[in-house]
Amino acid sequence: SGAIGIYFSYRETEAHLVALQVEKAQSAATRIEQYVLDIEHQLSWTALPRMDSGGDALEQRRLEYLKLLRQAPAITEVVWLDGAGHEQLRVSRLAMDAVSSGTDLSQEPKFREASAGRVYYGPVYFRKGTEPYMTISRPAGSGGGVTAAEVNLTFVWEVVSRIKIGAAGLAYVIDATGTLIAHRDISLVLKDTDPTDVP
């Protein structure tokens, strides 16, 4: 009976630990999802029509994008693609701004999805092998076309680094393709470690 008691106690403790891990993972996932949705919500403000329609529409859009960069530090670049998918405006923290470059991005998913009226969340990629980014695009509202933003996901690293599970437990985040995007040990992320073999 003692062995049976120990077994059931072990099973109960194990179930409790699994429930705790699930709760922490769900909490982290919810915070990450809310972060991305907040960015998309801030991006939606640039799609609202301007009441003072006088003046240069492209300059007004540029001012809206500059405000967006100031209000949302995670956004590093905002692009406006016209209805044909040609880049007409780029405002960036990391590169030179561009006006009427005309670069054809009509075959890019960020244009095709958003021009069909859907919000597009691109795959995670690493800019110059350092930090994780993703593209979010949506219909541009007044003036038509698409607004696309490049979003820095280092917040995900902060969320993961704060999760503590026992003495040796840790949390990490992978995307749908199996790419490691966040881990307590940043070097594993930067080495493009493949976590799909981890049980």
Side-chain angles (χ1 to χ4, degrees), residues 39-83:
I39 296 290
E40 192 272 320
H41 181 70
Q42 289 177 323
L43 193 59
S44 71
W45 286 104
T46 65
L48 294 176
R50 300 271 312 203
M51 298 308 289
D52 55 339
S53 54
D56 183 5
L58 195 61
E59 179 60 18
Q60 288 178 356
R61 192 176 294 275
R62 188 182 78 79
L63 292 174
E64 288 297 317
Y65 287 177
L66 287 171
K67 277 193 238 174
L68 178 66
L69 290 181
R70 190 167 53 247
Q71 292 169 351
I75 297 177
T76 57
E77 189 170 275
V78 189
V79 176
W80 177 53
L81 307 174
D82 64 17

Side-chain angles (χ1 to χ4, degrees), residues 114-192:
S115 62
R118 297 181 292 270
V119 176
Y120 170 73
Y121 299 97
V124 175
Y125 67 93
F126 289 84
R127 194 170 195 145
K128 297 182 180 176
T130 57
E131 298 173 332
Y133 282 82
M134 77 180 292
T135 302
I136 301 176
S137 64
R138 56 168 295 121
S142 61
V146 166
T147 297
E150 302 305 317
V151 180
N152 187 313
L153 297 178
T154 52
F155 171 80
V156 178
W157 286 354
E158 294 170 20
V159 170
V160 167
S161 67
R162 290 187 189 135
I163 296 174
K164 302 283 188 267
I165 303 170
L170 58 87
Y172 58 92
V173 179
I174 59 171
D175 69 3
T177 64
T179 303
L180 184 66
I181 7 177
H183 192 283
R184 190 182 299 166
D185 183 354
I186 300 292
S187 66
L188 293 176
V189 177
L190 299 180
K191 288 179 194 170
D192 198 20

